[in-house]
Amino acid sequence: MKDAVHTQTAAELLIACLEANGVTCAFGVPGEETTDLIAAFDKSSIDFVLCRHEQSAAFMASVHGRLTGNPAVCLSTLGPGATNLVTGVADATLDHVPLIALTGQGARSRLGRESHQIIDLEALFAPVTKSSRTLMVADEIPQVVAEAVRLSKLDKPGAVHLSLPEDLAEVPILAEPFVAPPPAEVRPAADAVIRSARLLAEAKKPLILAGHGVIRSGTASDVRALAESLSAPVVTTFMAKGVLPPGHPLSLHSIGQPGKELASEAFDLCDLIIAIGFDPVEYPPSNISMGGMKPVLEISDVASTVDVDWPVKAALTGDLPHCIDVLAKATAERPPQSWFKGLQRRIDASLEGGSTATDAACVAPSDICQAISETLRESDVLLSGVGLHKLWVASKVQARRAGQIIIPNGLAGMGLALPGAIEAARLLDEGRVIAVCGDGDFLMNIQEMETAARLCVPITVLIWEDNGYGLIDEKQPGAREFSFGNPDWESLARSFGWVYHDIESHSKLAPALQAAADVAVPTLLRVSVDYSADGGMPTVT
C-alpha cells in the first residue's frame, strides 16, 4: 500500500483504495481514457490480466467473485468498451456475485453533451448493478470506492459500477485510502425463531430446498447437519449442486429444468418447504410452491419480496450460519423418514448408466455426462456454458462437493465458460478446471483462447458440437432450424498453441478427459453430440 498521505493522481488514489479494501486482481482491455488507470494498476499489487474482449473480462471477474467471495475489477474504456462489459456485469448481479465494473469516461466538460463516444454510463449500468456512479470530484474517491467494495459483498452480493472521467484521472490529490468497516452481523428476532420452530414442528414431511446462497455463505455442512437432524430430504437448485455428496441418503438431487421433472415431485409430496439461501432468480417460485399452495419457511440473508406464489409463513433473516444454527437448536431431532424414498429410488435410477448407443460418430449426451462424472475429482472445478448442454450437465453430472460446478443461471448468458475457466485455473492450487461448452457458446468468446495460451493455464475445454443452437431447435420443433458451420477445430486449437483431441466415440471420452488432466497447457476436446439419442432434452419425468 502507498504511504498514508501523499500527493498522487486521482487514478492512483482510486487503485490504492481498491487495494486497501482487499481487491487483488483486475481484468480488462485498455483504452485511451484508461491510460492513467492502467499505469496506476502497474504501480499497485493488484494483478491486471489483459483480456481480448471486455465481456470476457467481466466473466473472469465474475468467476473470481464466485470462487473467492471477494470482488475483482473488470475494466473498460468508454463507449463501446463499456457497452461490451454489460452482459458480464448483469450476469454477476443476477447470480449475486461481487464485482466492481470500472469504466473510463470522457472529460467532465463533455458529459451531457453530444460528443464522440460519449454515452451516459451511469444510466447504462444502473439497471444491471447495485449502484452506478460517475466520479466527479477527487476528494470523494476514498469514500466512494470503499462503499463500492462493501456494497458489492453486502447482503445479496452483486456488481457495482464506477466511471472515472479522463480529466479527473490525472488530477493531483492529497488523500489516503479509506477502508470500510465490516458490516454488522444481522440476526433474526427471537419471535421469528419461535414462529419458525413452531411451523417446523407442525410439519410431517418437511423438504429442504438449498439455493445458491448456501454456496455463497459456505454453509453446505450446516445444511447437511440440519437435514440429517430433521431426516428431511434435500433438493438443490442448479447453482447449489453438491450441498449433499453423491449417494447421500437424503439427496433428491437438483431442479431447474423447464417443464415437469422428477425432483419437482418432492414438492407435491411435502407439507413444508424449508428454503435455505434460495434466490427467486434461480427457478420460478411458482413451480416450487405449486402455485402458492405449499407453505414456505424461508432462511435467507435478505428477506424475499412479497410474492403470491411464494407463501412465506415464517422467516429467519440474517447471517445464514447463525439462522441455521438457531433453528436446529430450537427443533427436536426426528427419526428416519421414508415418505420420499420411492421418489428417491426413481431419481437415482434415472441418473445411473448412459445410453445404449454404440461407438458411433456421434455420442449421446448421457454418455458424455457419465464420463465427466466418472473422471471428476473432488479438487476439480467444472464450469458449464449456456445451451442445451447446460441442462444435461445440470441434471446428470454429479458434484462431489459444494461449489464444484459453476452454472450461470440468473441471466444465463452464453460465453462464460471459457474465460471463467481461465480465472478458475489461476485460482486453483490443485486439481484441474474443465469448461463444458456447446459450439455456439464456445464461439461467443473464442478470442480468449489466446489469453489462455499466453497465461499457460492448464484448462480443459470440452466442446459439444451439434452445429446449431440446439436448445432453440428443441423449443421450436418443426420450425426453422438454426444451423451453422464450425471451424476446423484441430487447426484452430493448434494455431493458438493448444493440445487437441477429437473424441470419436463415447468409450474414448473418459480416457481423453483423464489424459488432459496431466497436460500443463490448454486442451481442446471436441465431441459430436447426438441429442436425439437421448430424446433431446434430459429425461425429467
Side-chain angles (χ1 to χ4, degrees), residues 280-319:
V281 75
E282 296 184 77
Y283 194 63
S286 60
N287 290 6
I288 298 169
S289 67
M290 306 298 115
M293 298 300 293
K294 297 289 181 175
V296 176
L297 166 55
E298 182 179 75
I299 305 175
S300 180
D301 46 5
V302 179
S304 63
T305 56
V306 175
D307 187 337
V308 295
D309 291 326
W310 194 237
V312 176
K313 302 302 182 183
L316 297 176
T317 305
D319 178 68

Side-chain angles (χ1 to χ4, degrees), residues 7 19 53 97 105 132 170 227 281 341 349 444 490:
T7 302
E19 190 178 13
H53 195 281
V97 177
Q105 180 58 291
S132 180
E170 59 189 13
V281 75
K341 287 298 183 180
M444 288 281 182
E490 182 172 8

Side-chain angles (χ1 to χ4, degrees), residues 152-336:
S152 74
K153 298 188 290 183
L154 193 63
D155 299 326
K156 286 189 179 181
V160 175
H161 167 248
L162 298 176
S163 182
L164 182 68
E166 61 178 335
D167 62 322
L168 180 60
E170 59 189 13
V171 168
I173 176 71
L174 189 67
E176 61 182 275
F178 173 73
V179 178
E185 186 178 275
V186 178
R187 299 196 168 193
D191 60 339
V193 177
I194 294 172
R195 286 196 301 271
S196 298
R198 183 181 299 125
L199 182 64
L200 183 52
E202 293 171 353
K204 304 299 183 184
K205 296 184 287 185
L207 170 68
I208 292 176
L209 169 65
H212 189 223
V214 174
I215 305 298
R216 290 196 304 268
S217 60
T219 52
S221 60
D222 302 276
V223 172
R224 189 180 311 151
L226 178 66
E228 290 169 351
S229 174
L230 299 176
S231 191
V234 177
V235 175
T236 75
T237 63
F238 284 173
M239 297 180 69
K241 287 174 68 71
V243 167
L244 295 186
H248 192 284
L250 294 174
S251 174
L252 294 181
H253 301 280
S254 61
I255 57 166
Q257 300 285 351
K260 188 77 171 177
E261 52 191 318
L262 274 176
S264 68
E265 293 184 22
F267 298 96
D268 291 317
L269 298 171
C270 77
D271 60 3
L272 176 67
I273 300 167
I274 308 172
I276 306 178
F278 171 69
D279 300 323
V281 75
E282 296 184 77
Y283 194 63
S286 60
N287 290 6
I288 298 169
S289 67
M290 306 298 115
M293 298 300 293
K294 297 289 181 175
V296 176
L297 166 55
E298 182 179 75
I299 305 175
S300 180
D301 46 5
V302 179
S304 63
T305 56
V306 175
D307 187 337
V308 295
D309 291 326
W310 194 237
V312 176
K313 302 302 182 183
L316 297 176
T317 305
D319 178 68
L320 220 56
H322 177 76
C323 290
I324 296 171
D325 182 59
V326 297
L327 181 64
K329 290 178 178 177
T331 308
E333 291 190 11
R334 299 186 181 213

